[in-house]
Amino acid sequence: MSLTKTWTSALALLACALAQTASAAPDPATRDYRLQPRQIAPGTWVIEGAVADFLPANGCNIINTAFIATGDGVVVVNTGPSRLYGEQQRRAIAAVTPQPVRMVLNLNLHPDYFFGNQAWEGVPTQALAGSITGMQAEGKGYADNLYRLCGDWMKGTEPAPAREVLEPRRFTLGTHRLELRRLQGHTQDDLVLLDTTTGVLFAGGLVFANRVPTTPHADPAQWRHSLDTLEHWRRQGQFTQLVPSHGPVGQGVQGIAQTRDWLQWLTGLLERSAQQGVDLSELLRTPVPGRFAGWAAQPAELQRSLVQWYPAHERRALMQPPPASP
C-alpha cells in the first residue's frame, strides 16, 4: 500500500473514532437529547451523559446509560432522568439493533437511573429490593427536584420504580455470560453488572470519574470497602473496562482510585474540622486540593456532602470526653 493510501486510511479511521466519541449537546429548543450510542466492546454500547451537575442546558442528563445486544435480545442498563430520555433511548437502541429488549436494569435508586422507565412499558424493569423500596419512597421528591432544575425536559415524567425485584445471579443470554452482583456504599443496594464475555463491568454509582461523587444515601466506610472489592476484581482480571454511571467512560478504571481518594479526603476533612470546632459556614469555604479542582460539579456536590455529613461529625466530637489533665 502506498504512503498516501496509508495516511488516507489512518485519517479515515481517526475521523470515524472522533465521530463516535464526539457528544452533541442536547438541544433545549426541540428537547432533543441527541443520544449517540458508542460501541465499546462486542455487542456493547454506551450513551454518555454530560460530565456536569443537573442543569437545564443538559436536560438533567448526566448519566451514562448502556445496552448489550446479546444475539438473543438486549439488556438495557439505566434509563435516564426523564420520560423523554427513555423514549429517545428506546429509539436510539432500535436504530442500532433489531433485537428485542429482554430486560431493563436500574443500578440504584437515584432518579436518573430509573426515571426513563415510563418509556419501557411491556419490558421487565428490574432492580435490587432496597433500590425499589427507595424509588417508591423518594420518587415524588426526586421528581419535584428535577422539575425545578430542568423544567420542560421533565414534562410527562412521573416516578416509575422498577417493577421486578432481582437477586444476584449468573445467567447466559445469547452469546454473553452475565453476572448480577450486589455491593453497597453509594446506596444501600448498588447493583453491579459484569459481562464476563467482554470483560466490561457496569459499576453504577460506586465509581465516579473526573466528577465529584454524590452522597445523599452514602455510607463512606461501606463505599470504600466496595471500591476495594472492585479493585480486587480488576487485579484478578475479571474485567478490563469499567463503565461508571457518571464521568468519562474511558476513565472508568481510574475512577476507582479517584472515588476512593475523594472519600478519604472528605471524611478526613470532616473529622479534623469537627475536632477543631470549625463552624459549618467556615467549612463550606474550604478549597479542594488541586488534584480535585478540575472535576465536574464543583463546588455544589462538595457543599451538599458537607451540609449532609458534618452535623453527625460535630455530635460525635462533642460526645467525646475531654483529654485528661496532666
Side-chain angles (χ1 to χ4, degrees), residues 19-312:
Q20 277 196 311
T21 57
S23 180
D27 182 2
T30 60
R31 296 204 299 277
D32 184 355
Y33 281 107
R34 294 176 173 169
L35 303 182
Q36 297 181 0
R38 178 170 69 86
Q39 189 168 8
I40 62 168
T44 309
W45 284 262
V46 296
I47 304 174
E48 294 174 272
V51 186
D53 207 349
F54 288 129
L55 295 169
N58 59 43
C60 281
N61 176 26
I62 62 170
I63 192 168
N64 299 324
T65 66
F67 59 98
I68 305 170
T70 69
D72 187 25
V74 176
V75 177
V76 177
V77 182
N78 299 328
T79 61
S82 67
R83 176 175 183 164
L84 182 63
Y85 182 101
E87 293 168 346
Q88 294 182 16
Q89 178 192 40
R90 193 162 189 169
R91 291 197 295 270
I93 294 171
V96 170
T97 175
Q99 296 176 37
V101 175
R102 300 295 188 195
M103 66 179 68
V104 171
L105 303 178
N106 303 140
L107 298 187
N108 70 45
L109 61 86
H110 291 156
D112 45 343
Y113 291 70
F114 79 95
F115 264 31
N117 283 1
Q118 277 179 283
W120 290 99
E121 190 68 33
V123 177
T125 53
Q126 304 178 343
L128 293 168
S131 293
I132 294 177
T133 298
M135 294 171 186
Q136 293 168 339
E138 303 195 42
K140 185 180 184 305
Y142 291 151
D144 290 344
N145 193 40
L146 291 190
Y147 269 91
R148 177 180 60 81
L149 291 170
C150 288
D152 286 349
W153 289 97
M154 301 300 297
K155 282 186 176 178
T157 301
E158 296 179 2
R163 293 183 290 273
E164 297 184 8
V165 175
L166 58 79
E167 296 290 339
R169 63 188 177 99
R170 299 177 181 178
F171 64 101
T172 298
L173 188 62
T175 59
H176 290 249
R177 298 182 304 276
L178 304 171
E179 296 188 16
L180 300 171
R181 300 179 177 181
R182 178 181 182 265
L183 295 175
Q184 292 179 291
H186 178 58
T187 69
Q188 175 187 348
D189 268 348
D190 290 303
L191 179 62
V192 173
L193 172 64
L194 174 62
D195 187 339
T196 62
T197 302
T198 60
V200 177
L201 181 81
F202 300 89
L206 288 167
V207 175
F208 285 69
N210 296 353
R211 188 192 187 279
V212 179
T214 58
T215 60
H217 299 94
D219 181 313
Q222 286 186 332
W223 197 343
R224 290 197 299 269
H225 178 72
S226 290
L227 291 169
D228 291 342
T229 299
L230 293 178
E231 180 60 26
H232 178 65
W233 295 347
R234 186 194 67 79
R235 290 195 303 268
Q236 289 181 323
Q238 293 193 39
F239 66 88
T240 55
Q241 289 193 76
L242 186 150
V243 178
S245 286
H246 302 280
V249 171
Q251 298 294 312
V253 173
Q254 294 92 319
I256 298 175
Q258 288 183 339
T259 306
R260 183 191 296 109
D261 189 15
W262 174 266
L263 292 172
Q264 289 173 340
W265 171 77
L266 179 59
T267 52
L269 172 68
L270 291 165
E271 290 167 4
R272 291 191 304 273
S273 299
Q275 292 294 334
Q276 296 166 5
V278 174
D279 183 79
L280 177 59
S281 61
E282 181 183 352
L283 187 60
L284 289 169
R285 297 192 294 272
T286 300
V288 299
R291 64 188 183 277
F292 305 136
W295 289 7
Q298 293 273 23
E301 288 294 2
L302 170 61
Q303 292 175 348
R304 291 183 192 116
S305 296
L306 293 176
V307 170
Q308 174 191 351
W309 285 354
Y310 194 52

